[in-house]
């Protein structure tokens, strides 16, 4: 099968479309024919082997897992002998290593049925970004009705889900984005918008119950300044690793955990990559109810994955970038 492969860490130039054996589903797995895959910040971190400490898991000399990509949507092509509730032809989505390929294998209990009202491209956009937004606001932030929630980085992959989810939770969402994205975040349900090219939200007088930071361009003290006395700041880890970093978000996690011990009233939460299944089920229900709709920016072909990652690496993509696999 065709796949985007990589032998050594580095820039998008180290990625190449090549031929590799089609994976075989284990007893508890399904083999999925990929129709669409989404690009996440995680993909360029894996591609670059960044931060270095992550290479302990990914492989020192080069990536052990040669095929890049994680988020996918597609059709079940084969099922392992222990799989009961899925069969060939079912339309599913989820995440697994090696999604920038014609086929990917994944544990059956990690995939979710594709919402019938979404395209494969829209469904592929959900797993990493949607889960992060839901875990960040609902679980870590405990955002609820009547609360004021600020999303910094509201026009990005995670942010466009977070604005919609904040509204679903009944919160009043303030979106921080640049001028060109104001209409987008308003259309997703933001009650207030702060244009970061004109104003610094950490200098304003408004206080928020939850600050969800997806950019990492403000120190923790500045984020806490705009929190209520009992508010929660949720840090995504974004912006702390810009290539060549040794520990990446781990430094932030340790600093935030130490700070959290001395803080009274307010909560500081560093989001770790959330587990798949329960959150995916909840996102499927929200999508089917029409309450959350993935927003797509550019679409690339499988052979163009290096360009797609180059674009996402600019950190100025608008919503989700998707790869189609015909
Ligand atoms: N902890 C976790 O489990 C987890 C999971 C997923 C993602 N993350 C992290 O969360 C972060 C966000 O992910 P993502 O997928 O949403 O990234 P993304 O799609 O690359 O975000 C790009 C967006 O950020 C906006 N932006 C750039 N600079 C900004 C600024 N100074 N103020 C406000 N907005 C700004 C851009 O808008 P403009 O073009 O208008 O500037 C663009 O729309 C990433 O750093 C990622 O590593 C963490």
């Amino acid at each position: 099968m065709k796949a985007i492969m990589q032998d050594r860490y580095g820039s998008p130039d180290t990625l190449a479309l090549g031929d590799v054996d089609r994976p075989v589903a284990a007893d508890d797995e399904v083999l999925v024919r990929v129709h669409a895959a989404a690009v996440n910040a995680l993909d360029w971190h894996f591609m670059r082997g960044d931060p270095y400490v992550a290479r302990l898991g990914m492989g020192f000399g080069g990536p052990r897992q040669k095929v890049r990509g994680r988020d996918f949507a597609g059709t079940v092509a084969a099922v392992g002998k222990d799989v009961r509730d899925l069969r060939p032809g079912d339309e599913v989505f989820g995440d697994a290593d090696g999604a920038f390929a014609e086929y990917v294998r994944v544990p059956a209990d990690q995939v979710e049925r594709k919402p019938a009202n979404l395209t494969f491209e829209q469904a592929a956009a959900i797993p990493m970004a949607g889960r992060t937004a839901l875990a960040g606001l609902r679980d870590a932030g405990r955002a609820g009705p009547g609360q004021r929630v600020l999303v910094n980085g509201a026009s990005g992959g995670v942010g466009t889900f977070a604005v919609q989810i904040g509204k679903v939770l009944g919160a009043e969402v303030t979106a921080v984005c640049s001028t060109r994205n104001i209409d987008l975040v308003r259309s997703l349900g933001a009650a207030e918008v702060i244009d970061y090219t004109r104003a610094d939200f950490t200098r304003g007088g408004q206080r928020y119950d939850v600050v969800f930071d997806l950019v990492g361009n403000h120190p923790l003290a500045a984020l806490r300044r705009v929190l209520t006395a009992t508010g929660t700041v949720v840090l995504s880890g974004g912006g702390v690793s810009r290539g060549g970093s040794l520990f990446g978000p781990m430094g932030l996690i340790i600093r935030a955990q130490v700070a959290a011990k001395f803080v009274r009233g307010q909560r500081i939460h560093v989001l770790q990559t959330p587990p798949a299944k329960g959150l995916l089920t909840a996102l499927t229900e929200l999508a089917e109810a029409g309450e959350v709709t993935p927003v797509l920016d550019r679409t690339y072909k499988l052979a163009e994955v290096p360009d797609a990652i180059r674009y996402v690496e600019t950190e100025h993509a608008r919503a989700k970038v998707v790869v189609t696999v015909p």
Side-chain angles (χ1 to χ4, degrees):
M1 68 169 186
K2 296 283 180 211
I4 292 292
M5 292 186 292
Q6 186 187 29
D7 285 327
R8 61 190 167 88
Y9 297 117
S11 75
D13 297 336
T14 60
L15 303 174
L17 183 69
D19 289 297
V20 65
D21 288 344
R22 184 188 295 187
V24 175
D27 292 350
D28 60 346
E29 291 182 335
V30 293
L31 180 70
V32 176
R33 172 71 171 90
V34 178
H35 297 310
V39 184
N40 291 288
L42 187 82
D43 294 311
W44 65 258
H45 283 292
F46 276 16
M47 177 188 79
R48 292 188 180 274
D50 171 89
Y52 288 130
V53 72
R55 297 186 188 189
L56 286 171
M58 296 187 301
F60 259 120
R64 262 193 295 274
Q65 159 68 30
K66 303 287 182 210
V67 181
R68 299 267 66 79
R70 272 208 70 91
D71 286 358
F72 66 84
T75 310
V76 173
V79 301
K81 75 172 175 54
D82 296 339
V83 177
R84 297 276 168 265
D85 50 351
L86 288 168
R87 61 175 76 166
D90 287 348
E91 296 182 343
V92 295
F93 73 109
D95 66 324
D97 282 337
F100 294 151
E102 289 177 320
Y103 292 87
V104 67
R105 50 181 274 217
V106 55
D109 61 4
Q110 295 298 308
V111 296
E112 189 61 49
R113 286 179 190 276
K114 179 179 84 61
N117 56 336
L118 296 190
T119 63
F120 285 108
E121 287 78 8
Q122 288 174 312
I126 293 179
M128 176 67 64
R131 282 192 339 241
T132 304
L134 188 57
L137 283 187
R138 187 193 65 181
D139 304 339
R142 299 178 197 159
Q147 291 193 329
R148 283 180 186 275
V149 167
L150 179 137
V151 179
N152 186 31
S155 56
V158 179
T160 46
F161 280 102
V163 173
Q164 298 180 74
I165 287 167
K167 192 177 174 203
V168 168
L169 294 171
E172 187 181 299
V173 178
T174 297
V176 181
C177 66
S178 67
T179 318
R180 72 189 181 105
N181 290 318
I182 291 175
D183 289 347
L184 169 68
V185 297
R186 274 207 194 285
S187 74
L188 298 175
E192 302 286 335
V193 181
I194 298 173
D195 180 345
Y196 75 78
T197 67
R198 290 165 195 266
D200 176 348
F201 72 88
T202 66
R203 304 263 163 214
Q206 186 62 58
R207 295 287 174 271
Y208 301 92
D209 299 292
V210 182
V211 171
F212 191 12
D213 182 25
L214 298 163
V215 183
N217 57 333
H218 292 287
L220 183 59
L223 299 176
R224 286 187 50 214
R225 200 161 50 224
V226 292
L227 269 190
T228 60
T230 55
T232 303
V233 60
V234 182
L235 306 167
S236 71
V240 292
S241 179
R242 289 273 184 271
S245 149
L246 182 57
F247 291 112
M250 258 151 296
L252 171 77
I253 291 169
I254 292 164
R255 279 200 308 280
Q257 279 170 345
V258 170
K261 289 207 184 312
F262 295 98
V263 169
R264 292 284 164 265
Q266 296 176 335
R267 292 168 60 239
I268 300 166
H269 193 110
V270 184
L271 204 58
Q272 317 266 357
T273 304
K277 187 64 182 185
L279 291 165
L280 271 194
T281 307
L283 287 158
T284 299
E285 288 164 6
L286 289 172
E288 283 175 340
E291 294 190 295
V292 169
T293 304
V295 183
L296 303 189
D297 180 0
R298 299 184 188 172
T299 302
Y300 292 82
K301 298 196 179 86
L302 185 60
E304 298 169 335
V305 163
D307 289 335
I309 294 188
R310 245 177 231 113
Y311 178 49
V312 171
E313 257 193 308
T314 65
E315 297 184 310
H316 289 290
R318 178 187 276 166
K320 291 299 300 178
V321 173
V322 172
V323 173
T324 55
V325 188

